């Protein structure tokens, strides 16, 4: 069974940076499509970024493109989300999610991911 554990959240001022990590067990990270989703208070969960399995590329939402970078660390079986130039609108609980056979057109849909972490809270103050 695939298990995901997020870490790295916290409180930061506008313009600051945070680095989130998602440690994966039960499956090799390179064999998974892994995504970050976030959910702000009172809002629906939204797609942030995804990295496809077997070197299939990295994809971002328009709201974070150019500020966030997602990468995979195969030796640590971990994915990271480097978040720069944070703004208050980035405040949310960030969840890591993983799946296997997710086609490109489906990577932004949370319903396609079978495995989820508990989340880590990010708060950006103005």
């Amino acid at each position: 069974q695939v298990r995901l554990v997020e870490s790295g959240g916290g409180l930061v001022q506008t313009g600051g940076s945070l680095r989130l990590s998602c440690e994966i067990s039960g499956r090799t990270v390179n064999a998974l499509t892994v995504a970050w989703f976030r959910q702000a208070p009172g809002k629906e969960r939204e797609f942030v970024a995804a990295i496809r399995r077997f070197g299939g590329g990295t994809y971002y939402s328009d709201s974070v493109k150019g500020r966030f970078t997602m990468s995979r660390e195969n030796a640590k079986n971990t994915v990271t989300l480097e978040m720069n130039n944070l703004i208050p609108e980035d405040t949310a609980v960030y969840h890591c999610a993983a799946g296997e056979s997710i086609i490109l057109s489906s990577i932004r849909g949370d319903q396609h991911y079978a495995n989820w972490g508990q989340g880590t809270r990010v708060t950006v103050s103005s």
Side-chain angles (χ1 to χ4, degrees):
Q1 184 170 345
V2 178
R3 184 167 179 259
L4 310 172
V5 179
E6 303 96 332
S7 61
L11 173 64
V12 65
Q13 291 185 333
T14 296
S17 299
L18 283 173
R19 186 172 187 263
L20 306 184
S21 294
C22 175
E23 185 175 349
I24 298 170
S25 58
R27 195 78 166 95
T28 301
V29 64
N30 195 47
L32 295 168
T33 290
V34 185
W36 288 95
F37 289 84
R38 66 187 182 185
Q39 188 163 20
K43 295 188 177 181
E44 292 187 355
R45 186 159 56 192
E46 66 168 339
F47 170 81
V48 175
I51 188 165
R52 295 188 72 203
R53 63 178 183 171
F54 305 130
T58 309
Y59 304 86
Y60 300 93
S61 68
D62 288 342
S63 62
V64 308
K65 194 176 297 182
R67 300 188 297 123
F68 291 11
T69 302
M70 184 175 182
S71 59
R72 180 170 42 218
E73 299 183 25
N74 291 335
K76 297 181 179 180
N77 223 45
T78 296
V79 296
T80 61
L81 185 68
E82 189 77 35
M83 306 187 297
N84 297 315
N85 296 320
L86 285 161
I87 58 178
E89 290 76 12
D90 295 318
T91 295
V93 175
Y94 285 69
H95 293 271
C96 179
E100 295 196 27
S101 301
I102 303 175
I103 61 175
L104 180 57
S105 61
S106 297
I107 61 169
R108 290 174 171 82
D110 59 1
Q111 69 271 28
H112 299 291
Y113 293 83
N115 305 284
W116 290 80
Q118 292 299 307
T120 186
R121 185 176 300 275
V122 172
T123 304
V124 184
S125 63
S126 57

